[in-house]
Amino acid sequence: MTGLAERAGALLGPKHTTYVVALVTPVSTEVDAAGTDVHGDVELGSVSKGVTGLLWHDAVARGEVAPDAALGEHLAVPARLGAIRLSALATHTSGLPRLAGGDVVRRSWELWREGRNPYREDLAGLLAQLEPVKPKPKPKPAYSNLGFQLLGHAVASATRTSYAHLVATRIAQPLGLTDTYVPVAVDQLRPGSVASRNRRGREVEPWANEAIAPAGGVRSSAADLAVLLRAMLDRTVAGVDALDPVAPMGGSQRIGAGWLTGPMLRRTVTWHNGGTGGFRSFVGIDRDRGVGVALVSASTRSVDGAAARLLAESA
């Protein structure tokens, strides 16, 4: 642990004991970690939605998905969901609920009491949960995990592969990200993976399964996140137009494809955060000043404020 991790730790507080951090500026790149090393992979949670947005834009640019494609063209969903545009899924304006049906209350209780992963379906299981789902007739911006699950799997279907393979071949491999991957089962976690821990510090189940992957299943490391931040700032990452805001998302925030843009400590930041049963994450860039920060902690205590301070101090 060097100066960057110490500074992040001072901002996070003593209850964050294991975390990874990356900071890029126009003239430098720093990576650091506490409780692991810079290649220890962690759960990005909903930052995965930003990755899915990149993959969608990339597939459109390749001509694999039409810009106005409907969900039913690429996934076997109930007819009332088939006409939803992928673009609406990408901007949280589809009218879909936050989650699909199923035993949400029981699973939430199991997560709180036992640390169980509440997302245990494969893709077929997710699609089976859609039968009772009804989109709102006049949708307004509303955050939807379900929407991004379907978006990512629709893009994968259109390209005749899996979501995990898309992340590997279109994001990780071109950028040389050796620690970034999507486990769809616990036994696919790599040696050195950082364990998930709840607010009390107890180890809990990792979120590793197929259905949730596009909305919360990507894992990465400090070393890889630094490369991703640089590629986002340099606009060399696949599907980079996903960063550009195209619609309102409530308050002062606007949204591109998953990525939010708005004011943060007197800076304009393009960002996404995330939370799982045992991690909290933040990835953001200040494009005006060429600065980016990624901070992920093995805890369920927020890292947003600390990450925003690191970003503002470095701009």
Side-chain angles (χ1 to χ4, degrees):
M1 183 170 69
T2 62
L4 179 59
E6 290 177 353
R7 177 56 182 151
L11 293 169
L12 288 167
K15 293 187 177 180
H16 291 267
T17 59
T18 302
Y19 52 89
V20 303
V21 58
L23 171 65
V24 302
T25 74
V27 297
S28 66
T29 298
E30 295 180 77
V31 294
D32 211 346
T36 182
D37 60 45
V38 298
H39 292 286
D41 61 87
V42 293
E43 292 178 354
L44 298 188
S46 287
V47 175
S48 305
K49 294 179 176 69
V51 175
T52 297
L54 296 171
L55 292 170
W56 173 60
H57 265 278
D58 181 58
V60 171
R62 291 169 180 258
E64 296 166 330
V65 178
D68 62 347
L71 181 58
E73 296 173 35
H74 299 296
L75 284 182
V77 298
R80 64 181 168 279
L81 306 182
I84 295 173
R85 301 294 176 187
L86 299 190
S87 57
L89 297 174
T91 55
H92 291 297
T93 53
S94 65
L96 290 175
R98 189 179 185 93
L99 300 169
D103 48 355
V104 175
V105 173
R106 180 176 65 83
R107 293 190 185 202
S108 297
W109 174 255
E110 289 175 347
L111 171 63
W112 184 74
R113 290 285 295 179
E114 304 168 18
R116 292 200 67 190
N117 173 14
Y119 300 101
R120 302 194 283 271
E121 295 79 24
D122 58 12
L123 177 56
L126 173 66
L127 296 178
Q129 290 183 346
L130 298 178
E131 191 55 44
V133 173
K134 296 180 180 179
K136 294 181 180 178
K138 295 182 179 180
K140 298 179 180 179
Y143 194 86
S144 175
N145 282 324
L146 174 59
F148 265 83
Q149 288 177 278
L150 296 175
L151 175 62
H153 290 302
V155 172
S157 176
T159 58
R160 295 180 173 83
T161 188
S162 68
Y163 180 79
H165 188 258
L166 272 185
V167 172
T169 57
R170 299 193 175 182
I171 302 293
Q173 291 174 12
L175 294 177
L177 308 182
T178 58
D179 308 317
T180 300
Y181 67 111
V182 182
V184 297
V186 173
D187 61 9
Q188 293 184 9
L189 294 179
R190 296 177 181 177
S193 294
V194 179
S196 309
R197 296 191 181 276
N198 64 15
R199 182 176 289 264
R200 298 184 296 277
R202 188 181 72 184
E203 189 169 334
V204 297
E205 281 187 351
W207 287 15
N209 76 293
E210 183 182 26
I212 193 59
V218 179
R219 295 185 72 103
S220 192
S221 68
D224 279 8
L225 287 168
V227 177
L228 178 62
L229 288 168
R230 181 71 68 191
M232 290 165 62
L233 287 165
D234 292 346
R235 298 188 68 84
T236 55
V237 67
V240 69
D241 289 348
L243 301 173
D244 301 336
V246 297
M249 189 56 194
S252 56
Q253 300 293 322
R254 291 178 59 79
I255 189 169
W259 295 98
L260 298 165
T261 296
M264 192 175 293
L265 295 183
R266 299 183 181 180
R267 304 287 190 268
T268 299
V269 178
T270 298
W271 63 281
H272 211 297
N273 62 0
T276 67
F279 286 92
R280 290 295 182 269
S281 60
F282 180 97
V283 172
I285 57 173
D286 178 341
R287 293 192 274 183
D288 294 334
R289 293 170 172 81
V291 175
V293 164
L295 181 59
V296 187
S297 177
S299 170
T300 53
R301 298 175 184 273
S302 176
V303 302
D304 293 3
R309 286 285 301 278
L310 283 173
L311 191 63
E313 292 173 359
S314 304

